[in-house]
Amino acid sequence: MQKTSRQLCSIPNLLSMLRIFILPFFVWAYLWAEPKTGYPLSCILLVLSGLSDLLDGFIARRFDMVTDVGKILDPVADKLTQITILLCLTLRYPSFLPLLLVFALKELLMLTGGLLLLHRHIHPGSAKWFGKIATCFFYLSMVLVVLFPALPFQTMAGIAAANLLLCIFALLMYIPIFFNLKKESGKR
């Protein structure tokens, strides 16, 4: 119990918890935004969330602060943040609905695959470059959408489509990794 408590108080894990804590404020600031004041606040919260995501991983690896709690907390914070942002955007821009649905399906498949691997005592591994690129593009493009809510429909649809393609690409890249891990565990 003390070890878990100490792990929770590590800087990377506190940053992950900060991302989760920011979510209701982002929802409030975005959904009840006054165009001249609300969107900039939403954008600041989104940028803060994205920076804390970058920092927690960097600090954890650089200063050897990777914890078992953080291995769960960080991806949970990431997915909660991304799904919250997509839900908010879909309410204003229906063109984001396919992205929301595919993202939710991808994460459900990834969760199921990860749980299957863990059930076989196989560590699923950490995020790969293609997942990180998709996440980075997601944050950058969402900041753009939140900061400039009057972007033309075609631009919004293009941003949603680019994120959708990166989401599908990341999923397709993770599938063979899953099967290779599963196959290698069968050889042991």
Side-chain angles (χ1 to χ4, degrees):
M1 181 68 172
Q2 187 178 6
K3 180 182 177 185
T4 303
S5 168
R6 192 171 46 242
Q7 284 186 9
L8 272 175
C9 292
S10 73
I11 293 170
N13 292 342
L14 290 172
L15 288 169
S16 291
M17 287 186 281
L18 173 66
R19 283 203 316 279
I20 294 169
F21 180 75
I22 287 172
L23 291 176
F25 296 101
F26 171 80
V27 170
W28 171 79
Y30 185 75
L31 293 182
W32 286 276
E34 292 292 325
K36 291 187 179 190
T37 58
Y39 294 122
L41 176 58
S42 304
C43 191
I44 289 167
L45 292 169
L46 187 54
V47 168
L48 181 62
S49 180
L51 289 175
S52 70
D53 186 19
L54 287 173
L55 278 175
D56 75 2
F58 172 77
I59 292 169
R61 286 184 296 277
R62 177 79 167 101
F63 298 102
D64 196 30
M65 298 174 91
V66 175
T67 64
D68 291 335
V69 171
K71 289 176 185 177
I72 295 168
L73 188 59
D74 179 57
V76 166
D78 290 346
K79 302 318 166 196
L80 280 175
T81 300
Q82 291 172 320
I83 206 82
T84 300
I85 293 166
L86 285 174
L87 282 168
C88 287
L89 289 176
T90 300
L91 290 172
R92 289 199 191 254
Y93 311 106
S95 61
F96 279 86
L97 182 60
L99 175 59
L100 173 63
L101 296 175
V102 169
F103 180 83
L105 177 64
K106 172 192 169 260
E107 293 309 320
L108 184 62
L109 289 171
M110 298 277 295
L111 176 64
T112 303
L115 290 173
L116 287 171
L117 291 175
L118 289 172
H119 180 70
R120 292 180 170 209
H121 305 288
I122 305 166
H123 187 275
S126 59
K128 306 297 182 211
W129 65 268
F130 38 86
K132 291 181 180 192
I133 286 174
T135 299
C136 185
F137 184 80
F138 176 85
Y139 270 107
L140 291 173
S141 61
M142 295 307 115
V143 166
L144 183 67
V145 169
V146 170
L147 190 58
F148 300 106
L151 287 171
F153 170 79
Q154 294 85 356
T155 304
M156 292 288 191
I159 289 170
N163 274 285
L164 181 67
L165 290 173
L166 282 171
C167 183
I168 292 169
F169 174 71
L171 176 62
L172 293 175
M173 294 295 286
Y174 278 118
I175 289 172
I177 293 171
F178 167 79
F179 284 111
N180 285 336
L181 287 170
K182 195 174 160 194
K183 182 178 169 184
E184 286 179 24
S185 77
K187 293 179 182 178
R188 293 180 199 167

